[in-house]
Each structure stands twice: as structure tokens, then as C-alpha cells.
């Protein structure tokens, strides 16, 4: 079974645009779980332009499935996650001003930093996932760093799916097989959608979890969040 973690950053973006508490981010997370989400993902950034530090603290006791916090492991981020102790932390190499995650780690060049970071999280009992591209070298080094999982950066797949689905998914099949051989779990995320998710899921082995935010919230504008979650979970069932 592949789990669906709903990234609620965009809900916080909408709330922040008005400056009050509509929509209610905490209630939205609880409702997502009630509608079938297997987890909740947030990515607090230093400027708090969507998810705020205070949101993370309020969400911790409410999330009953799996809480996944993404972010660059700055001292401030590490202080937050070590206090909150989510089930999973996903380490991403974002610069503070990045609009969204747009690349995986060069694990080879950052092995000492990532190893030290993973060790701190492990000591706190937190599962760690490292955000990577499909480079087998990076995946092997993620295992060497002590990570429990990798999250495959799927934008290249999404960009090429419509013109060459088999070619687009091939590197991810290889990457997932490599991760499995290294003893790593496999997550995936970025630009996965109702258009491309089923094909990805049906072809990529050992897929533990997909994290989807922008597309599922956009679809919810038309479908409602309950129906959107159901549609995405349907894509994660083998035909």
C-alpha cells in the first residue's frame, strides 16, 4: 500500500492572504485525515509565507496519522522538529527564498552535514527522508548518511509524462530499485497529479508514500477536498 500524505501549505497561503483564520489550517488537517489521508505534510519556511511555526506546534497534537515536516535543516528548523517530534522529517536543500523545492540534494557533496543531521533526528526517534533526484550515487550516499528513506523529486517525471510516459518513469523505476537494495524506503513528491499519479504508482516499485499539495488543493477547488482525496487514493490502488 502506498500512503497519501496531503501537503497543506497552500491552505495556509490562502489563510495568510486575508490575515485571519479562514480557512482554518488545523481543522483542514483534521478533516483531511477524516476523509482518508494517511498523513499530513507541512513545509515551514523562514519567512512563514504559508505554514507558520505556530501552525506546526498546533498541528502536532491534532495529527493522528503521520506528521511529516519538510525543510532545510537550519538551526531554527532543527530546534522546531526536535521539539515537535513528528513521525518523519524530510530534509530538502531549499534556499530560504525558494518559491518551492526545485532540486534534490547533492548528497555526495553534503554527506558530512546530512549524516550529522540524520543522527540528531534518529536520536530523537524521528524517521528521516532525504529529498533526492534519481541519481543512484545520491541514493547510495543517502543510505550511507543513515537516512531511513529517500523522497524522489518527481518534477522531471511530471514534465515529460504527457509526451513520453515510459521514458519519463524509467529513471524512477531504477532509482526506487536502487533505494530498495540499499535498505531505504521510497517516498515521492512534486507535481504529481490526477493526470500522472496512477501511471507512476503502477510502474514504480517499493513506493511507500507520495506527498501531494499544490495539485490536490487545486483540484479541491472544483471537487471538494473529500472527493479530491478519494480520487488521489484511487490512483494508488492497483487496477
Amino acid at each position: 500500500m502506498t500512503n497519501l500524505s496531503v501537503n497543506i501549505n497552500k491552505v495556509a497561503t490562502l489563510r495568510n492572504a486575508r490575515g485571519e483564520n479562514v480557512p482554518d489550517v488545523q481543522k483542514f488537517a483534521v478533516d483531511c485525515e477524516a476523509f482518508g489521508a494517511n498523513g499530513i505534510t507541512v513545509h515551514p519556511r523562514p519567512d512563514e509565507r504559508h505554514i507558520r511555526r505556530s501552525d506546526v506546534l498546533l498541528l502536532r497534537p491534532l495529527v493522528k496519522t503521520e506528521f511529516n515536516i519538510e525543510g532545510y535543516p537550519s538551526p531554527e528548523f532543527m530546534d522546531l522538529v526536535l521539539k515537535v517530534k513528528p513521525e518523519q522529517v524530510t530534509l530538502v536543500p531549499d534556499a530560504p527564498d525558494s518559491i518551492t523545492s526545485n532540486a534534490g540534494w547533492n548528497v555526495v557533496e553534503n554527506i558530512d552535514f546530512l549524516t550529522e543531521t540524520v543522527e540528531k533526528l534518529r536520536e530523537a526517534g524521528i524517521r528521516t527522508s532525504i529529498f533526492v533526484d534519481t541519481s543512484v550515487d545520491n541514493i547510495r550516499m543517502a543510505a550511507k548518511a543513515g537516512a531511513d528513506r529517500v523522497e524522489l523529486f518527481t518534477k522531471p517525471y511530471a514534465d515529460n509524462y504527457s509526451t513520453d510516459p515510459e521514458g519519463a518513469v524509467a529513471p524512477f523505476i531504477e532509482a526506487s530499485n536502487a533505494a530498495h537494495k540499499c535498505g531505504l524506503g521510497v517516498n515521492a513528491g512534486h507535481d504529481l497529479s490526477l493526470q500522472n499519479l496512477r501511471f507512476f504508482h503502477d510502474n514504480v516499485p517499493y513506493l511507500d508514500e507520495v506527498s501531494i499539495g499544490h495539485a490536490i488543493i487545486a483540484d479541491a477547488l472544483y471537487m471538494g477536498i473529500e472527493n479530491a482525496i478519494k480520487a488521489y487514493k484511487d490512483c494508488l490502488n492497483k487496477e
Side-chain angles (χ1 to χ4, degrees):
M1 175 182 173
T2 302
N3 287 331
L4 171 66
S5 186
V6 176
N7 185 318
I8 59 172
N9 278 15
K10 288 299 187 295
V11 179
T13 301
L14 182 60
R15 175 203 60 191
N16 294 353
R18 191 64 180 261
E20 298 177 350
N21 195 39
V22 179
D24 185 321
V25 171
Q26 285 73 50
K27 183 178 185 303
F28 194 89
V30 171
D31 288 343
C32 284
E33 290 186 312
F35 297 147
N38 306 110
I40 301 297
T41 292
V42 295
H43 187 151
R45 286 187 164 88
D47 61 6
E48 295 196 321
R49 63 181 180 271
H50 34 63
I51 288 292
R52 301 167 180 156
R53 182 185 179 93
S54 59
D55 291 324
V56 176
L57 298 172
L58 290 169
L59 284 165
R60 172 64 286 189
L62 299 177
V63 175
K64 304 303 183 185
T65 53
E66 178 184 283
F67 197 19
N68 173 46
I69 303 179
E70 300 178 342
Y72 179 82
S74 65
E76 295 76 16
F77 178 85
M78 292 297 291
D79 286 347
L80 177 62
V81 297
L82 291 172
K83 178 178 182 179
V84 171
K85 294 189 178 179
E87 283 74 24
Q88 178 173 268
V89 166
T90 301
L91 303 175
V92 298
D94 288 0
D97 59 349
S98 294
I99 295 175
T100 187
S101 302
N102 54 22
W105 283 95
N106 185 327
V107 187
V108 177
E109 291 186 359
N110 293 278
I111 185 64
D112 292 339
F113 175 58
L114 289 170
T115 300
E116 179 182 352
T117 301
V118 169
E119 180 62 28
K120 290 177 182 176
L121 294 168
R122 182 189 296 110
E123 288 174 355
I126 301 169
R127 185 173 75 231
T128 306
S129 178
I130 295 179
F131 195 61
V132 295
D133 59 20
T134 54
S135 162
V136 172
D137 286 343
N138 275 327
I139 291 167
R140 289 172 178 160
M141 292 300 283
K144 184 176 180 180
D148 300 290
R149 297 186 182 183
V150 289
E151 180 172 333
L152 301 177
F153 174 54
T154 49
K155 180 173 173 55
Y157 164 76
D159 288 346
N160 295 300
Y161 169 77
S162 61
T163 55
D164 182 11
E166 288 80 11
V169 82
F172 293 88
I173 296 171
E174 180 183 5
S176 191
N177 279 316
H180 182 71
K181 288 179 181 177
C182 292
L184 294 168
V186 180
N187 299 341
H190 205 94
D191 285 359
L192 294 173
S193 69
L194 288 178
Q195 288 68 46
N196 60 42
L197 179 58
R198 183 180 294 279
F199 186 82
F200 187 86
H201 172 261
D202 288 351
N203 284 276
V204 176
Y206 310 117
L207 191 59
D208 292 302
E209 175 184 295
V210 292
S211 176
I212 303 176
H214 185 86
I216 201 169
I217 301 304
D219 286 329
L221 294 175
Y222 291 91
M223 304 169 66
I225 189 58
E226 182 174 7
N227 289 333
I229 288 173
K230 181 180 184 299
Y232 277 83
K233 289 200 71 175
D234 284 347
C235 291
L236 300 176
N237 294 319
K238 290 284 187 182
E239 289 189 324

